[in-house]
Structure formats: structure tokens, C-alpha cells
Amino acid sequence: MQTVNTNKLCTPQHEVPDGYIHLSGDLEHDSIVNGPGLRAVLWVQGCRQHCPGCQNPETWTEDNEAGAIVKIDKVKEELRKLKGQSGITFCGGEPLLQAKACLEIAKFCKEELGWNAWSFTGLIFEQLPKEGPVHDFICELDALIDGPFILPKRDLSLKFRGSSNQRILHLKNGEIESIE
């Protein structure tokens, strides 16, 4: 496995103030393609990977003119209104760029709504920081889909993934319990 310097790839966005999250679009609900069951999906703005063939290149820029910077309390309020959801999935963009905000929302969903929490990342689990906001967010997740999208490995038959290098990691307290 190639070693990648993840420091730059998951260093937090500088212009998003505490208590806010930079979203690329509206909160989605009733999704069946971003994890098991009916799910809320939060689309974060900003990604530094720029994978060729990415389905969401509009989420790459971290410029505040793209998407919207939203109060986390407003996101929680919207999530609280949703009915019939079994989980939340953080998509993007790269959720780890906003790990602190995503952590707060994931904790809320798990503790107050009884949902599970999944996230995508274009990074490799084994190369992620073992402390700090990224690690704290990973520890709150029930599953992480890791790895960049690789166009030559695109596989439309895969559940919840775009390319065969990506893995569904089932987690407990930030440790891998099983891999799909």
C-alpha cells in the first residue's frame, strides 16, 4: 500500500467557524444508496483529492462562495424533523476536512435520534491520524467507506461504493470489526 501524507488531505478548513459546517447542498433524506435502510445524507463541501471521474466535482472547492456555511444547530433541527430514517451518512466532498463539525452531528444522531452513522472518505483508514478531531469522528462511526474513487476500478455492481478498491469498514470505537 502506498503511503500518503494525510496531513494536508484532512487538515480542517480554515474559514469555517466553530459551530458551523460547510455544506454543498441540502440535507437529503430517504436515501437507500449511501448505506443500509433509509438514511439522511449530509453533503459536505471541500475535497483535496480530486479523483478523476468523481461523481461530485462541484464539492471540491473550499471557497465560501460554493455551497453554504450552516449552523450545526440548524442541521440538528432539520435532522430532528425527519421521520423513518435509520442512519446518517456523511458524503462529499471529504467529510474529514470538517471532522469536528461532523463529529458533533454524528454524536447527536446516535445519542438523540438513535441512528447509526456512516461516512465516506477518499483516504485510507490505516493512514488516518490516531488522535485529534479526525480520529474522534472515526471513533463515533459505525462504518467508514474508505479509499479514493479510481476510475479504472469503477464497478457498478458494488453496494454503496464506486470502485473496487473502496472498502466498507464496520467499526467499533474506531477499530475495524469487519470489512466488506
Side-chain angles (χ1 to χ4, degrees):
M1 181 183 303
Q2 179 183 359
T3 301
V4 175
N5 181 352
T6 58
N7 290 335
K8 180 182 178 239
L9 294 174
C10 59
T11 300
Q13 293 183 11
H14 296 290
E15 298 189 31
V16 179
D18 282 345
Y20 289 80
I21 187 165
H22 193 177
L23 299 178
S24 65
D26 293 334
L27 174 66
E28 186 179 332
H29 59 88
D30 297 335
S31 172
I32 59 170
V33 297
N34 291 298
L38 292 178
R39 308 188 69 74
V41 180
L42 206 56
W43 295 91
V44 301
Q45 185 69 41
C47 184
R48 299 173 186 156
Q49 296 260 69
H50 300 184
C51 300
C54 172
Q55 70 172 1
N56 303 312
E58 67 281 1
T59 67
W60 292 354
T61 183
E62 295 175 50
D63 186 333
N64 288 346
E65 300 301 314
I69 296 178
V70 180
K71 281 188 170 187
I72 292 172
D73 286 342
K74 185 175 187 317
V75 172
K76 290 177 185 178
E77 187 178 304
E78 292 300 312
L79 290 166
R80 197 178 275 116
K81 293 177 188 175
L82 298 179
K83 303 296 179 216
Q85 310 303 293
S86 61
I88 186 165
T89 301
F90 298 87
C91 294
E94 175 55 69
L96 300 186
L97 289 175
Q98 299 186 70
K100 187 175 175 185
C102 291
L103 169 63
E104 184 176 338
I105 295 166
K107 277 186 174 184
F108 167 79
C109 289
K110 291 181 79 169
E111 294 171 5
E112 293 198 31
L113 303 177
W115 297 355
N116 60 61
W118 283 40
S119 185
F120 284 82
T121 181
L123 304 173
I124 305 297
F125 176 84
E126 290 80 3
Q127 298 173 348
L128 295 176
K130 302 298 182 212
E131 57 184 32
V134 168
H135 179 71
D136 295 344
F137 176 52
I138 298 300
C139 286
E140 196 65 33
L141 296 175
D142 297 290
L144 179 71
I145 299 174
D146 80 335
F149 174 74
I150 298 176
L151 190 55
K153 293 185 176 194
R154 181 178 180 203
D155 184 342
L156 299 178
S157 71
L158 294 171
K159 195 160 81 170
F160 312 133
R161 295 164 283 170
S163 58
S164 61
N165 62 295
Q166 295 173 313
R167 306 174 295 174
I168 301 174
L169 308 175
H170 297 278
L171 306 174
K172 185 167 185 165
N173 300 319
E175 297 295 327
I176 297 173
E177 288 203 310
S178 65
I179 301 173
E180 288 183 57

